[in-house]
Amino acid sequence: MKPVKVGICGLGTVGGGTLNVLKRNAEEITRRAGRGIEIAQIAIRSPKPQYDTTGITMTSDVFELVNNPEIDIVIELIGGYTLAKELVLKAIENGKHVVTANKALIAVHGNEIFAKAREKGVIVAFEAAVAGGIPVIKAIREGLSANRINWLAGIINGTGNFILTEMREKGRAFEDVLKEAQALGYAEADPTFDVEGIDAAHKLTILASIAFGIPLQFDKAYTEGITKLTTADVNYAEALGYRIKHLGVARRTEAGIELRVHPTLIPADRLIANVNGVMNAVMVNGDAVGSTLYYGAGAGMEPTASAVVADLVDVVRALTTDPTNRVPHLAFQPDSLSDHPILSIEECESAYYLRIQAKDHPGVLAQVASILSERGINIESIMQKEVEEQDGLVPMILVTHRVVEARIIEAIAAMEALDGVTSPVMRLRVEQLN
């Protein structure tokens, strides 16, 4: 069969990795795909002499590539929302299949893009959009298709995980580690997407849609960053037998779907609690299989390129199949997506870690315990650090049993109104991930 011709939009880190992998492993990829894959054109803003593009047509206009009648598959690797959306929709309109690593595009505009792709009978593949080289989308969409997925939880941003690992292992402050992460290229000059959980929420939105058969609803995801964490919180968590991770959690409940990203205490003996540095991991719990764990490099040139090329091979294999018999974009048939509501964070249930700065006066602990008891909140463990008294204040650390968030918010407000409590109460969620 004649080779499939592809065009690559963007030759940055992932684009360069994709070019390298396609060239280096051409023979192996052909054997897997059943036919050759030829890079016919690349669209870049400026020349990239570090890459060998001999024999490939180059252009600075992405729409020249998208409108090229010789191109069968467009690989979108430019990122962002606006131009990427425009070129992807144009490629679909032109009857071309699309492979993308753009999690923001899929999380925000995926419903529209997939509808247009179904209309045109083309594939939009996006494995590389979540967790880099870890094939977690394929695992959930195909490998776990026999299961009713109960919940999933993931460390899906390497920057945040690197920062929390350094804070725990070396006792460094958040701001100090962030500067190093920026110097190493792990974090952008503006790190908001990483440290405030927005990047992870994009990925969690995609995973939840595939796991539960619901439309993409990024605007309903709850996000909370790691900027307020202190080394004291990291150390207290450790003393209680936990590790703090910036976790994305999607859980099916009778009331609806929990969709949340926030710092979370996880028991230190869980495998996912021991995922360190810039590595990623996703736990998925199904009713038949139980808990499964997917671990690997969540970013980087060739790990992400691995996922891009795997998608490319899947598309090439599917070129001759009836579009109605292909694996659905969001795992479930489009007319079978459910309308389960996404719960607000106040409706979500979790256990909680509370750090209270209390005056070293008799009765403060009793008042705090009374506030929790009145609201039906049970205490699992408590720790007071008198040796760490500073300016007459003693840290009081509590871990509660599971409770709806609205009740813990009400309890915290009552605690902060006490004469014996100063400064805001620090609240973190605790997940056992059994």
Side-chain angles (χ1 to χ4, degrees):
M1 300 177 73
K2 68 176 185 178
V4 174
K5 294 191 176 182
V6 305
I8 301 175
C9 296
L11 204 60
T13 300
V14 178
T18 300
L19 173 65
N20 289 343
V21 170
L22 282 171
K23 289 169 75 73
R24 185 178 70 236
N25 296 340
E27 182 182 349
E28 194 82 359
I29 290 166
T30 299
R31 289 171 59 208
R32 291 180 186 276
R35 60 200 293 190
I37 297 175
E38 178 186 322
I39 305 171
Q41 192 169 24
I42 296 175
I44 53 172
R45 289 195 201 126
S46 55
K48 297 289 180 73
Q50 66 267 43
Y51 300 119
D52 179 9
T53 57
T54 305
I56 302 171
T57 302
M58 308 297 288
T59 179
S60 59
D61 181 1
V62 291
F63 291 100
E64 179 187 325
L65 184 152
V66 168
N67 291 318
N68 183 342
E70 291 192 358
I71 301 292
D72 301 302
I73 304 170
V74 172
I75 303 176
E76 182 278 305
L77 301 173
I78 61 174
Y81 299 99
T82 310
L83 180 60
K85 178 188 176 186
E86 192 177 347
L87 79 86
V88 165
L89 289 175
K90 185 63 177 175
I92 293 169
E93 184 66 32
N94 290 344
K96 302 181 189 304
H97 303 280
V98 174
V99 173
T100 179
N102 193 333
K103 65 265 184 182
L105 177 70
I106 297 300
V108 176
H109 299 297
N111 295 325
E112 177 186 354
I113 289 168
F114 297 149
K116 180 63 71 174
R118 287 193 299 273
E119 180 187 316
K120 289 293 182 178
V122 300
I123 299 168
V124 176
F126 52 96
E127 180 68 66
V130 178
I134 307 171
V136 67
I137 288 175
K138 182 177 282 288
I140 298 172
R141 188 167 57 191
E142 299 172 44
L144 299 179
S145 58
N147 289 258
R148 184 178 191 270
I149 304 299
N150 298 315
W151 56 264
L152 61 87
I155 297 168
I156 43 181
N157 181 272
T159 303
N161 202 41
F162 171 78
I163 291 171
L164 292 177
T165 299
E166 290 290 304
M167 289 176 71
R168 182 181 66 83
E169 292 184 349
K170 301 177 182 176
R172 299 170 64 189
F174 170 85
E175 294 80 5
D176 177 42
V177 185
L178 174 59
K179 288 177 183 175
E180 183 184 354
Q182 290 170 320
L184 291 170
Y186 297 154
E188 302 290 341
D190 178 358
T192 304
F193 265 46
D194 292 324
V195 300
E196 295 296 348
I198 299 167
D199 174 79
H202 284 142
K203 298 167 186 174
L204 185 68
T205 297
I206 296 168
L207 291 175
S209 292
I210 293 167
F212 306 127
I214 58 175
L216 294 150
Q217 298 170 75
F218 169 72
D219 59 322
K220 295 180 182 177
Y222 172 80
T223 58
E224 183 179 314
I226 58 174
T227 56
K228 295 178 182 177
L229 285 176
T230 67
T231 52
D233 291 312
V234 173
N235 293 335
Y236 294 148
E238 194 84 5
L240 290 163
Y242 293 94
R243 301 268 172 87
I244 298 178
K245 295 294 182 182
H246 202 189
L247 206 67
V249 178
R251 188 186 303 274
R252 188 202 302 263
T253 73
E254 290 185 6
I257 305 295
E258 297 181 1
L259 192 63
R260 47 194 172 93
V261 176
H262 46 68
T264 308
L265 275 74
I266 306 169
D269 61 355
R270 300 286 186 269
L271 283 173
I272 197 168
N274 294 281
V275 173
N276 295 318
V278 295
M279 303 304 281
N280 281 200
V282 180
M283 284 188 76
V284 184
N285 180 274
D287 68 333
V289 74
S291 292
T292 58
L293 179 70
Y294 308 88
Y295 167 89
M301 176 183 278
E302 295 212 346
T304 309
S306 169
V308 171
V309 176
D311 268 347
L312 188 56
V313 170
D314 276 351
V315 173
V316 171
R317 288 170 175 163
L319 286 178
T320 56
T321 63
D322 180 349
T324 59
N325 292 327
R326 292 171 180 158
V327 178
H329 291 106
L330 294 178
F332 294 74
Q333 296 299 331
D335 57 359
S336 298
L337 294 182
S338 76
D339 58 357
H340 286 304
I342 304 296
L343 301 180
S344 69
I345 193 63
E346 290 80 12
E347 298 171 284
C348 294
E349 185 180 285
S350 180
Y352 292 89
Y353 158 102
L354 304 176
R355 173 168 55 81
I356 304 160
Q357 293 294 114
K359 293 177 182 176
D360 191 13
H361 293 169
V364 176
L365 177 57
Q367 289 177 302
V368 168
S370 176
I371 286 170
L372 293 172
S373 177
E374 288 167 4
R375 290 158 181 82
I377 302 170
N378 296 320
I379 298 172
E380 179 184 283
S381 59
I382 186 166
M383 179 170 64
Q384 269 190 291
K385 306 292 283 187
E386 288 89 350
V387 295
E388 295 181 15
E389 178 179 337
Q390 191 171 19
D391 298 328
L393 300 176
V394 176
M396 184 189 305
I397 317 300
L398 303 175
V399 175
T400 75
H401 288 280
R402 294 184 71 84
V403 64
V404 171
E405 178 127 349
R407 276 197 270 167
I408 207 77
I409 291 172
E410 184 184 321
I412 288 172
M415 290 178 201
E416 291 176 344
L418 294 173
D419 286 340
V421 173
T422 65
S423 75
V425 172
M426 181 63 171
R427 174 200 64 201
L428 297 172
R429 294 162 193 84
V430 181
E431 293 289 343
Q432 294 299 323
L433 301 183
N434 292 322

